[in-house]
Amino acid sequence: MRHARSRLRQALAVATATGLLATGAACSSSDGDSDRVRIGLLVSLSGIYTSVGEDMHRGFQLYLDTHDGRLGGREIDLVVADEGDGPATAVAAAQKLLERDRVVALTGLVGGATVDKVQTLIHERRIPLLGANARPGWPPARALSYTWHTSYNSDEPGIAIAEYIKAQVGNGTVYAIGPDYQGGWDELRGFTDTYTALGGTLANPDGKTVFTPFPTTENFLPYLNKAAETQPAAVYTFYAGGPAVAFVKQYRHSALRDVPLYAAGFLTEGPVLDAQGTAATGIRNVLNYSPTLPHAANQQFVAAWSAAGYPGQPTTFAMASYDAAAVLDRALAAVDGAVTGDTLNTAISTVGRVDSPRGDWQFHPTEHRPVQRWYLREVKPDGPVLSNVLLQDLTTLPAT
């Protein structure tokens, strides 16, 4: 792991240096050189979601490395910036990418709150945002002309698994618990709204999700033992990063240890699963990707990931960023002449179906997010390692 992080830091330094050199040479497509394009990648390289940001960086870089550093036939200057823990860091970094580095597209973005703030900036400057992780549930009136995502709406995991959990618990109740910030609100709302609409009952005494202080909560045992007093048939949750490790390990030592635990798949995704170890065994969860999917595109992706020396198995974070590069590849190939934010944005709208490691998908025509399949997974051994093993398809979202 230490070696891999060192390699990533070196890659970041090279990418940043390349970006700075490119800035000094004033050679972006927007400056008239149609053979070179400058792309901004904004991800968390510090803070609580560093592991997520590192995986997103690896996914985008993997696509570049397996396509000779070119997208759409053009040489790419990838300028990488640190999102940190959210808007306080991310907005300034995005402004630098847009104003000083003059990127023609922005991708990455770990947090939903970051997306919400940065989305305003990219619309003002008419630069496409190709988000590759969280996305808030915006109202229909929100202007999305320059906003695209290769990931999901943050409420979709809970929507996708609610019917399955309702079938499992029957007339029993489900206890809902998650972190108290935008991502937690969106993730839990997707489950609770859908589950109760199906006739399900929450075990929470007031019928409302319990939200734990974020990011300060490290001891979950008081919350878990309090939840056990309601005698739920199951628990549903969302946590990611370090809090996911603490939550799962403490769950196995709480009064809920024999109660089935369901989750948005981020609870056991990537390096956190290594840290959780056997405490995560048996957790059933939902995501738009599993490294065990049988598609040929996924087998190639997993093999390339391993050949690159990246740690563990690829994650949904890496896959969505890999797909963002694939979308830009096809869109840039469709631009004739110099690339601007407007010409690239128009081309993104024409990419059609994407053959992805997750299975094929396409952008929703008005909401600009993937219409894609969601999968039920279970943490169990896959050969010598624990993995989120595919159990079955759940549904396709959003409905068209």
Side-chain angles (χ1 to χ4, degrees):
M1 178 66 76
R2 180 178 299 174
H3 178 64
R5 287 181 175 172
S6 176
R7 290 185 56 215
L8 184 61
R9 284 194 293 270
Q10 291 173 3
L12 171 60
V14 170
T16 303
T18 300
L20 292 172
L21 288 170
T23 302
C27 58
S28 77
S29 178
S30 58
D31 294 324
D33 184 349
S34 61
D35 291 330
R36 296 181 68 90
V37 172
R38 195 173 302 146
I39 303 293
L41 177 68
L42 179 61
V43 292
S44 295
L45 298 171
S46 64
I48 198 166
Y49 288 142
T50 299
S51 64
V52 176
E54 289 178 342
D55 258 13
M56 293 172 70
H57 186 194
R58 291 180 184 117
F60 198 97
Q61 190 65 50
L62 183 63
Y63 191 95
L64 279 180
D65 290 344
T66 53
H67 292 76
D68 298 323
R70 305 176 76 87
L71 298 178
R74 292 173 166 87
E75 191 170 351
I76 299 300
D77 294 325
L78 184 64
V79 189
V80 184
D82 185 11
E83 177 182 344
D85 274 333
T89 308
V91 170
Q95 288 174 326
K96 170 189 170 294
L97 290 170
L98 294 168
E99 297 171 3
R100 197 186 88 177
D101 300 319
R102 301 172 62 185
V103 300
V104 296
L106 188 61
T107 187
L109 283 71
V110 172
T114 296
V115 173
D116 197 43
K117 298 296 184 185
V118 171
Q119 198 244 3
T120 301
L121 298 178
I122 61 100
H123 272 257
E124 290 173 353
R125 290 160 178 79
R126 303 167 71 91
I127 295 295
L129 166 63
L130 200 58
N133 197 50
R135 166 175 160 143
W138 287 313
R142 186 75 173 235
L144 299 176
S145 301
Y146 292 87
T147 304
W148 309 82
H149 275 81
T150 60
S151 48
Y152 49 82
N153 261 20
S154 295
D155 58 357
E156 287 182 313
I159 294 172
I161 200 172
E163 184 174 2
Y164 174 83
I165 295 176
K166 177 67 175 65
Q168 299 304 302
V169 302
N171 293 325
T173 58
V174 177
Y175 196 92
I177 181 171
D180 192 10
Y181 74 103
Q182 183 69 54
W185 306 335
D186 293 338
E187 294 282 349
L188 269 296
R189 172 176 46 79
F191 172 74
T192 58
D193 284 1
T194 308
Y195 174 71
T196 54
L198 292 168
T201 303
L202 295 179
N204 306 62
D206 57 359
K208 296 181 180 178
T209 300
V210 167
F211 289 107
T212 58
F214 177 85
T216 55
T217 302
E218 296 179 352
N219 182 10
F220 292 96
L221 280 173
Y223 298 97
L224 296 172
N225 290 333
K226 189 72 174 178
E229 296 175 1
T230 67
Q231 298 184 320
V235 173
Y236 182 79
T237 192
F238 156 78
Y239 287 98
V245 177
F247 183 89
V248 168
K249 286 189 170 182
Q250 293 171 28
Y251 192 92
R252 297 308 180 198
H253 291 90
S254 75
L256 288 169
R257 56 185 173 277
D258 295 324
V259 177
L261 176 60
Y262 299 95
F266 315 104
L267 185 73
T268 57
E269 189 72 354
V272 300
L273 181 56
D274 296 333
Q276 293 160 346
T278 56
T281 302
I283 295 175
R284 292 196 169 187
N285 61 86
V286 54
L287 261 187
N288 58 349
Y289 176 70
S290 165
T292 65
L293 282 167
H295 315 304
N298 187 47
Q299 293 173 350
Q300 294 170 4
F301 176 56
V302 172
W305 180 272
S306 178
Y310 293 144
Q313 296 176 309
T315 62
T316 188
F317 315 119
M319 177 276 296
S321 199
Y322 182 89
D323 275 7
V327 168
L328 288 171
D329 191 10
R330 294 174 64 169
L332 285 166
V335 176
D336 185 15
V339 179
T340 68
D342 279 314
T343 60
L344 181 55
N345 193 62
T346 299
I348 290 173
S349 70
T350 68
V351 297
R353 300 196 73 81
V354 178
D355 183 19
S356 162
R358 79 186 83 174
D360 62 333
W361 62 272
Q362 62 184 356
F363 285 116
H364 187 281
T366 58
E367 299 181 18
H368 297 179
R369 57 188 171 112
V371 177
Q372 61 187 328
R373 284 182 291 277
W374 288 84
Y375 304 104
L376 179 68
R377 319 180 311 175
E378 180 177 324
V379 176
K380 60 172 63 176
D382 178 27
V385 300
L386 278 178
S387 181
N388 289 287
V389 176
L390 174 69
L391 293 185
Q392 66 179 71
D393 290 11
L394 286 173
T395 189
T396 296
L397 293 175
T400 56

